[in-house]
Amino acid sequence: MFDDPVADLIARCAAQDRVAFRTLYRDSSAKLMGVLLRILRDRTAAEDALQDVYTRVWLRAGRYDPARGRGMTWLITIARNLAIDRLRARVETLDSEGIDLVPDTAGRAETRLVAQGEARRVVDCLATLEPDRAAAVRGAYLDGLSYLDLAARHAVPLNTMRTWLRRSLLKLKECLDR
Amino acid sequence: MTDTPLSPRDEDEALAAEYVLGVQDLPDRTATEARIKADPVFADLVHAWESRLADLNGDFDEAPAPDLLPRIEARLFPAPPRPPATPIVRFSLPRWLSGVAVAVLLVLGLLTLVPPPGSGLVAVLATADNRLAYEISSRGDSLIVTRTAGVAAVTGQVHELWIIAPGAAPVSLGLLADQPLVVTYPVPPVGWVMAVSVEPAGGSPTGQPTGPVILTAQVTGGA
């Protein structure tokens, strides 16, 4: 990979460099806040999670391996995992109002990513899925929708949702790894 | 549609993808997390899915983040012990409050219990009569605080958990409600003190304990 300033900062955090930690927060917190806010849909919860995300980043910095991916990807993985853990820990109820609040984002990822001239493959491969299945993959990844939410949104039984999402994911993999 | 069962290899692939997407409910997600820790081959499948889907990250918009660095740093890097007291006595609100807290503690006669050994148990905070108790255990990078006896604070008030490094000011770890509190924090070193104070709903307005400290315990064993 080319230069990856975020990866360098994480490596310095692993070496207990607190100045690097501050710079990392300044440079990446807006992006992570965006992730947390989109998934948790609540500012207080997102701010609380942000605090835990950076605590975790500092504590786990030594485990980051630049060979495995870019620094920002690693940070977003930590933020997404924490947000989804929090979301799932909330009482799982079918809250159709909450689900309606989630904007339908179909199409946005493609446009933007194509504009960036990267990620063609995931875009192309998502396009090989039926549109509602591609939308389910996006809704889960970007909005933190659970099987329960997806089943409600697509009006299918939970097990059906699960079967067809799993099949779609395997198809996606086949395409992406080609 | 006919559903031929997935091969074991595809089952694992699908499970890894489900985990990365985050669609599972909490019990399934927790079980998958345990598998990631125990099974390096499966963990590699998860990492591969993280890379495959990472291209979607471009769709997350940035959002203004408040400056939480002071709070994060206070948690991670508690202030070093203060230099020996100078002859000039200055009024220090936190110090005065901790004096009050100790006095209240003595008056109430609430006792400090200390951590039994055991897997992950960091400290037990309990009153002498055991009518109110919190257990603090450690799992991975997190502390989990569970009320094991008694009830939450009355309406309009809340129990707040503090950690106090030797010689440093207390640092809030969060509010204790009915759900267990999970907070990212390493296992505190031996000799640090955990405390619970009663605060107005929403937590201490000052960032330091303002209400009576009702429970304290020193970290002794460690996991």
Side-chain angles (χ1 to χ4, degrees):
Chain A
M1 272 277 146
F2 306 92
D3 51 291
D4 183 348
V6 174
D8 295 342
L9 289 170
I10 298 169
R12 284 169 57 197
C13 286
Q16 307 294 305
D17 180 341
R18 295 184 191 181
V19 177
F21 185 60
R22 293 186 159 202
T23 312
L24 183 67
Y25 186 89
R26 261 198 304 279
D27 292 355
S28 59
S29 55
K31 182 72 176 179
L32 299 193
M33 187 66 187
V35 171
L36 296 169
L37 208 50
R38 179 146 178 193
I39 294 175
L40 293 169
R41 284 169 255 155
D42 174 276
R43 179 155 282 277
T44 311
E47 288 180 6
D48 189 62
L50 190 68
Q51 198 172 331
D52 269 15
V53 166
Y54 279 94
T55 308
R56 217 167 260 197
V57 166
W58 174 264
L59 296 172
R60 293 187 185 173
R63 292 189 233 159
Y64 168 64
D65 176 3
R68 271 209 166 128
R70 299 186 65 83
M72 189 54 100
T73 305
W74 187 75
L75 296 180
I76 292 175
T77 300
I78 291 181
R80 274 191 74 248
N81 277 336
L82 192 126
I84 289 167
D85 285 344
R86 296 268 167 103
L87 203 58
R88 297 291 168 264
R90 292 179 189 167
V91 186
E92 275 226 351
T93 49
L94 259 183
D95 175 3
S96 49
E97 252 182 294
I99 291 166
D100 288 344
L101 282 176
V102 181
D104 189 351
T105 56
R108 280 181 67 221
E110 285 92 325
T111 346
R112 189 166 332 172
L113 292 171
V114 172
Q116 288 169 351
E118 56 183 16
R120 291 285 330 205
R121 280 198 316 176
V122 78
V123 172
D124 292 347
C125 289
L126 275 171
T128 66
L129 303 180
E130 289 166 46
D132 56 345
R133 299 181 187 202
V137 172
R138 265 191 228 99
Y141 191 85
L142 295 168
D143 297 312
L145 300 183
S146 66
Y147 270 136
L148 206 60
D149 301 327
L150 290 170
R153 177 181 274 198
H154 294 270
V156 293
L158 198 103
N159 278 335
T160 309
M161 185 69 226
R162 186 155 190 262
T163 304
W164 67 240
L165 190 68
R166 294 185 127 215
R167 301 263 169 204
S168 305
L169 287 165
L170 292 173
K171 204 174 151 195
L172 190 65
K173 172 180 182 285
E174 204 179 298
C175 174
L176 284 167
D177 295 354
R178 197 170 290 154
Chain B
M1 50 171 132
T2 50
D3 279 323
T4 42
L6 300 181
S7 69
R9 166 86 195 177
D10 279 351
E11 272 292 335
D12 281 357
E13 281 292 353
L15 183 64
E18 279 175 327
Y19 175 78
V20 173
L21 272 188
V23 285
Q24 297 166 302
D25 61 19
L26 193 60
D28 285 354
R29 186 167 170 81
T30 310
T32 310
E33 248 153 41
R35 171 128 188 242
I36 294 169
K37 285 196 183 114
D39 178 349
V41 177
F42 181 70
D44 283 342
L45 298 184
V46 171
H47 292 312
W49 274 104
E50 282 168 358
S51 316
R52 276 186 202 108
L53 296 175
D55 292 332
L56 291 172
N57 288 341
D59 206 47
F60 286 115
D61 289 322
E62 297 196 346
D67 181 10
L68 301 177
L69 264 174
R71 273 152 70 186
I72 298 166
E73 289 177 329
R75 259 192 205 176
L76 286 171
F77 324 122
R82 289 154 205 243
T86 50
I88 305 154
V89 180
R90 263 182 297 160
F91 179 75
S92 149
L93 186 63
R95 222 177 268 185
W96 180 78
L97 283 171
S98 60
V100 171
V102 170
V104 168
L105 197 69
L106 292 175
V107 169
L108 293 180
L110 298 178
L111 253 201
T112 299
L113 284 200
V114 193
S119 57
L121 196 58
V122 170
V124 175
L125 292 141
T127 55
D129 58 6
N130 229 35
R131 284 171 70 176
L132 178 65
Y134 288 98
E135 246 179 46
I136 305 174
S137 59
S138 165
R139 192 177 66 202
D141 290 338
S142 299
L143 296 179
I144 297 146
V145 189
T146 314
R147 194 172 60 237
T148 53
V151 292
V154 295
T155 310
Q157 296 188 329
V158 68
H159 292 162
E160 187 158 358
L161 179 71
W162 305 89
I163 187 159
I164 305 150
V171 171
S172 174
L173 289 183
L175 305 180
L176 301 164
D178 284 326
Q179 298 288 329
L181 170 72
V182 180
V183 57
T184 302
Y185 204 86
V187 177
V190 170
W192 289 29
V193 170
M194 317 286 297
V196 173
S197 69
V198 179
E199 301 293 336
S204 161
T206 66
Q208 287 293 302
T210 60
V213 173
I214 53 171
L215 302 168
T216 66
Q218 200 171 39
V219 176
T220 59

